[in-house]
Amino acid sequence: MRNLKTVYQRALIKYPVRTQAVQAGILMGLGDQIAQNFIENESKTIDFVRTMQFTGIGFFITGPATRIWYGILDKHIGSKGSSIVIKKVLCDQLFFAPTFVAVLLTTIGICQGKDMERLKLKLKNEYGDILKNNYKLWPMVQLINFSLVPLNYQTLVVQSVALLWNSYVSYRTNSDRRSEESRDETH
């Protein structure tokens, strides 16, 4: 266990974006599996393609985007002091969160094979609620994260909390898909 921690710490120093991309991918895939196995639990069939899509989104978008964003905040706002923490949380929640939720929903919709009309409908139906729920959780998480956690570990903290958040997002963004499938089965 100690060796694993050492390897992880070295990887964070040498390859911070790549390391955090891998951890985000793993945790997003795990979040989807939690959604499928424990929240949805409608059928015993597991959609591994969906899990791999969530893993890919974590690896290619979530991990790199959050790590780069935290680096930008650290560079331009700073890293110490309560007023700096407040500024970082405000920037994160006013600029990054709304944009990121839109990117995430769009990417998930594309992975689901939605055309432009259905993507617009997906954003219209889900964006507001997901963003509102984002504001119930993430400001407090980021307040703790930005005030107590060193930059190299901030993405890990966020992705750990996001394990449950990703389960919610997976469930929420696949509810329309489940509705379409049950409509198709009845017709």
Side-chain angles (χ1 to χ4, degrees):
M1 193 65 158
R2 195 174 189 181
N3 287 341
L4 186 61
K5 181 180 176 186
T6 303
V7 168
Y8 177 73
Q9 289 173 328
R10 286 183 184 151
L12 269 178
I13 292 165
K14 193 169 184 179
Y15 309 106
V17 175
R18 280 187 254 174
T19 302
Q20 292 170 352
V22 169
Q23 81 190 13
I26 291 168
L27 291 170
M28 279 197 75
L30 189 55
D32 177 66
Q33 279 295 301
I34 290 170
Q36 288 189 54
N37 286 292
F38 301 107
I39 299 171
E40 296 164 21
N41 207 16
E42 294 156 357
S43 73
K44 297 296 178 202
T45 307
I46 301 298
D47 186 346
F48 288 107
V49 170
R50 180 177 123 181
T51 299
M52 292 313 297
Q53 289 169 340
F54 263 79
T55 300
I57 291 167
F59 183 77
F60 292 108
I61 298 172
T62 305
T66 53
R67 176 55 178 92
I68 291 166
W69 173 245
Y70 296 160
I72 290 168
L73 289 176
D74 223 52
K75 179 179 179 183
H76 294 285
I77 296 176
S79 59
K80 301 274 187 236
S82 56
S83 67
I84 287 172
V85 169
I86 298 297
K87 289 176 189 175
K88 286 170 111 174
V89 171
L90 285 172
C91 284
D92 186 65
Q93 294 303 302
L94 294 175
F95 302 119
F96 186 79
T99 304
F100 189 74
V101 168
V103 167
L104 185 62
L105 291 177
T106 301
T107 304
I108 291 169
I110 290 168
C111 288
Q112 293 171 338
K114 298 199 182 309
D115 60 22
M116 190 56 73
E117 259 334 286
R118 288 171 59 207
L119 276 174
K120 288 179 187 176
L121 186 61
K122 184 175 201 57
L123 283 168
K124 180 182 175 199
N125 291 339
E126 297 174 5
Y127 180 81
D129 282 344
I130 290 174
L131 186 63
K132 184 172 63 174
N133 286 325
N134 168 87
Y135 290 137
K136 293 175 185 176
L137 171 67
W138 290 107
M140 185 56 67
V141 170
Q142 293 296 46
L143 197 59
I144 294 165
N145 196 27
F146 292 143
S147 62
L148 301 176
V149 180
L151 177 62
N152 272 348
Y153 296 101
Q154 289 175 356
T155 301
L156 176 60
V157 168
V158 165
Q159 288 304 316
S160 297
V161 174
L163 184 59
L164 295 176
W165 176 253
N166 294 335
S167 300
Y168 161 71
V169 170
S170 175
Y171 173 75
R172 182 62 199 260
T173 58
N174 283 285
S175 60
D176 63 335
R177 193 179 199 180
R178 288 186 306 280
S179 297
E180 287 172 8
E181 287 170 1
S182 55
R183 258 184 277 130
D184 291 344
E185 288 172 4
T186 58
H187 290 101

